[in-house]
Each structure stands twice: as C-alpha cells, then as structure tokens.
Amino acid sequence: MSSTLIDGLCFGEGPRWHEGALWLSDMHAREVLRITEDGGRETIVSVPGWPSGLGWLPNGDLLIVAMTERRLLRYDGSQLTEHADLSALASFHCNDMVVDSEGRAWVGNFGFDIFTQSAERRGAELIRVDPDGAAEVVAEDLAFPNGTVITPDGKTLIVGETMGARLTAFDITGNGSLTNQRTWASLETAAPDGICLDKAMGIWVASPPTNEVLRVLEGGKVTDRISTDRGAFACMLGGANGHTLFTLISGSSVPDVCTAERSAMVITDQVAHGHAGSP
C-alpha cells in the first residue's frame, strides 16, 4: 500500500533522487523543492517560467527546464542564469529532460499548443544541450517526447512518447547523435509521462489518464502496476537503498485548478529492483 510523503503541492514534475533527498519541480507554484525522506521541505529556487525537468552538471550546478520560456536554466546555488535558449529549436513549451554523466541535457517539448483544443497535433523535437550550452535537434517528429532515461552504460536513450503510447529507444553515438530509432515498448492504453529505470532494465512509467504507475520490460510486458487515486504524472526510484518508488500524483494538470486546489502529492512504494542509469 502506498504511503504519502508530502501533500499540498500545486503540480509536481521532474522528480530526481540526489544527494540523499528527492528533488522536484512544483511547476505551478513556480519553484524547485528538495524533500527529505521524513517529509521535510526546502525551496531551492523560484523559476517564473514553469520549472519542469531537472538534472546536474558534473560540477554540481543544477539545470532546470523553464517550460514556457523554452530555456534551460543553470543554478549554481546562489544565482540563476541561462544555460541555453531553446526557443528557436523547440516547437512549443519545453518539458522533461535527462542529463547524462558528461553533462549533456536531452530536452523534449510539447510540439504544439495542447491547451488550445483546435490546435493541430504536430510532432516534436528532442534537443541535446551540451555542457557549454550549445544546442541542436537530435530527433524529430516525436509524439510529445516526455520522460527520458539513459542506460547505465550511457549507450541507449529511451524516451516516453506520451501521445504515441510508447517508449522509443535510440543508440547514443560518441558525438552525441541519436541513431537506430526503434519502439522499445508499446503501452496500449497507458500514456507515458515521467519514467525511471531500474537495475533489471525495467522502466517504471507514470500514466496520468489511467491513474497508475506501471513497470514495463523491453517488448512491452507489464510486470507490475500500482493504482493511484488521481493522475500519476512522474516517478523516480531513490531512497537509501534505491528501492523506494516516488510517484507524483495530482487531481488536475490545468494550471489554474492546480494552483487553487493544491491536490498534488508525492506517494511512495517499496519495489523489488533499485534505481539505475540516469536520471
């Protein structure tokens, strides 16, 4: 049975286990939080442009996706600066990302205005941002690229295509290009949002419309399902031994409703396989 770690959030995204605590973006409160295993909460930095994906450079600086600004920001512990401007590369709001061991960030985006019902659905780009801030598109025409993981050997990137109901894998070349695009798993009714990887090469997938987080193997076999009482938008493995699954859930993803209701929370479950890879 799931336990509640913390509640009263507006809308949690981008959970990461880092230096003994859970870090996440409370997107519609416009702040990045650090949460300890006893539920202690600390605001790290405020980000007006809707913070989402998080990651760290090798020197310890925090990278933060500023969604509505289509920028990747850098926080050195005292000052927030621009790491990369992605506005000329991303079709619409930027979203989740993964940062690899070299400090390269891989950033997805919506592709189109999902808040306008009449908007035409379009494929989106996956953008690689190098440690010096240089950015380029490395994959195109993805169906809302969202949560992303990199395997422990650094050779495979797997991204959840939310509107494609699938996990898509690429080989990472030595120069950071992506090749050999393939379907890693089809998810049928689930819609992958945030994802995380375990040591047995299973991927936990948060699926908002089906109110669950599920564990999937390559090829599509589902080994575990955890039901939630509201939409599950992101998940992360962590804790002292890496076997705690942190799931971010919310009653809504509509910004005004999220701010008014504060129905978002973090729940935890103990699972069989510990954390692996990035993030």
Side-chain angles (χ1 to χ4, degrees):
M1 183 175 179
S2 302
S3 300
T4 299
L5 175 64
I6 192 169
D7 59 13
L9 301 175
C10 288
F11 186 78
E13 261 290 7
R16 307 287 186 257
W17 184 259
H18 179 70
E19 294 184 345
L22 182 72
W23 297 59
L24 60 86
S25 295
D26 192 348
M27 181 187 298
H28 298 314
R30 296 171 172 79
E31 58 188 11
V32 176
L33 303 177
R34 179 182 182 273
I35 301 171
T36 58
E37 286 193 273
D38 61 2
R41 181 190 314 196
E42 174 189 2
T43 298
I44 299 298
V45 64
S46 296
V47 180
W50 290 16
S52 183
L54 305 175
W56 284 265
L57 292 170
N59 72 348
D61 286 358
L62 173 64
L63 295 181
I64 307 165
V65 171
M67 296 180 62
T68 59
E69 297 173 355
R70 303 187 208 181
R71 294 197 298 160
L72 187 56
L73 304 179
R74 180 172 181 161
Y75 183 64
D76 64 3
S78 60
Q79 187 175 10
L80 194 64
T81 58
E82 181 178 279
H83 185 62
D85 182 351
L86 307 180
S87 60
L89 301 176
S91 298
F92 200 64
H93 293 346
C94 292
N95 196 14
D96 211 345
M97 73 168 173
V98 63
V99 179
D100 68 16
S101 60
E102 297 180 27
R104 298 179 298 192
W106 312 78
V107 185
N109 76 86
F110 290 7
F112 65 100
D113 184 355
I114 64 169
F115 304 110
T116 301
Q117 290 186 347
S118 61
E120 179 186 356
R121 285 195 179 191
R122 293 187 307 226
E125 307 80 14
L126 189 66
I127 300 166
R128 190 195 72 239
V129 181
D130 293 332
D132 63 0
E136 67 174 288
V137 172
V138 289
E140 296 180 285
D141 201 27
L142 299 175
F144 204 111
N146 210 330
T148 310
V149 297
I150 294 175
T151 54
D153 61 7
K155 294 182 179 180
T156 305
L157 180 147
I158 305 166
V159 58
E161 293 188 69
T162 302
M163 294 185 176
R166 60 182 172 259
L167 301 177
T168 299
F170 297 86
D171 294 338
I172 303 174
T173 68
N175 67 2
S177 298
L178 298 182
T179 63
N180 190 24
Q181 180 176 346
R182 59 203 181 271
T183 297
W184 194 86
S186 294
L187 298 175
E188 298 180 355
T189 59
D193 197 319
I195 65 176
C196 60
L197 180 69
D198 69 30
K199 290 182 177 179
M201 283 302 294
I203 293 180
W204 283 98
V205 177
S207 175
T210 56
N211 289 11
E212 64 180 339
V213 58
L214 55 152
R215 182 177 180 270
V216 184
L217 300 179
E218 185 173 9
K221 180 180 179 181
V222 176
T223 65
D224 301 86
R225 293 182 187 269
I226 299 172
S227 296
T228 57
D229 67 357
R230 61 202 75 179
F233 289 88
C235 57
M236 186 65 209
L237 287 164
N241 62 4
H243 288 254
T244 300
L245 180 68
F246 299 91
T247 304
L248 278 53
I249 62 176
S250 179
S252 177
S253 60
V254 178
D256 290 346
V257 176
C258 291
T259 303
E261 294 184 351
R262 286 189 170 266
S263 66
M265 59 176 60
V266 181
I267 60 174
T268 63
D269 292 273
Q270 296 303 306
V271 297
H273 304 288
H275 169 266
S278 300

